[in-house]
Amino acid sequence: GAVKDAEIDLRRALELSPSRLEAHAALAEAYMQTGKEQEALVEWKAALGSGHGEAFWYFRYGKLLFDNRQLAEAKPELERALEKAPKENPPPWIWEAHRTLALCLGRTREAIPHWEAFIEHAEKNSPYMTEALRELKAIVK
């Protein structure tokens, strides 16, 4: 019920002020929580259409595109998220952005810095650590 109420409130906010990018982002998050991925994609696109979105928004949009097998579309969104993310005191999602971008890039030299950044930022006991090491080894061969 709370998500449905939030959706109603956010829709009303957008009626009053269609340029409220944060309302589009919040609506996208609400849709993602309820499994409405196509609606979430539309709202992320609206939130980021101006190019003034937050790094986290680009990450969430890129991740959702990746999860929906839209790798070519996910790549620039993830790159933008990483460009906008602070270099000092990186956000907690930075490891996942690097991993997802590396997966978008496939076994190419371009993926190497992202696998390395994943290794640097992820928890050392991450279930994806073996994957990262395997992918790096396969690329360097």
Side-chain angles (χ1 to χ4, degrees):
V3 173
K4 188 66 177 166
D5 290 343
E7 180 183 349
I8 292 167
D9 292 343
L10 290 165
R11 284 272 167 228
R12 178 72 179 130
L14 287 169
E15 285 173 15
L16 297 171
S17 182
S19 63
R20 300 279 313 256
L21 302 179
E22 67 279 358
H24 285 291
L27 195 52
E29 287 287 350
Y31 284 141
M32 288 174 68
Q33 288 179 15
T34 57
K36 297 178 181 177
E37 292 184 350
Q38 294 309 308
E39 291 89 339
L41 287 168
V42 170
E43 291 304 324
W44 280 126
K45 193 168 189 171
L48 298 168
S50 69
H52 298 294
E54 297 178 18
F56 181 68
W57 299 356
Y58 285 102
F59 163 65
R60 294 289 283 166
Y61 183 42
K63 181 78 168 75
L64 184 59
L65 287 165
F66 175 82
D67 290 345
N68 279 272
R69 297 177 191 85
Q70 297 178 42
L71 306 188
E73 294 84 357
K75 182 180 171 281
E77 304 305 331
L78 294 164
E79 289 172 336
R80 197 161 301 130
L82 291 169
E83 287 168 12
K84 288 180 156 269
K87 305 305 177 233
E88 279 191 39
N89 196 18
W93 49 264
I94 201 80
W95 68 268
E96 191 173 4
H98 280 292
R99 176 182 174 269
T100 307
L101 182 52
L103 291 169
C104 284
L105 296 167
R107 287 188 174 163
T108 64
R109 291 224 174 270
E110 195 179 1
I112 292 172
H114 298 290
W115 284 120
E116 290 172 342
F118 164 80
I119 291 167
E120 177 186 345
H121 294 289
E123 295 289 327
K124 298 308 170 206
N125 63 349
S126 168
Y128 303 113
M129 196 59 72
T130 302
E131 169 193 46
L133 296 170
R134 181 185 66 235
E135 291 300 315
L136 273 173
K137 185 177 178 181
I139 295 167
V140 175
K141 273 188 170 181

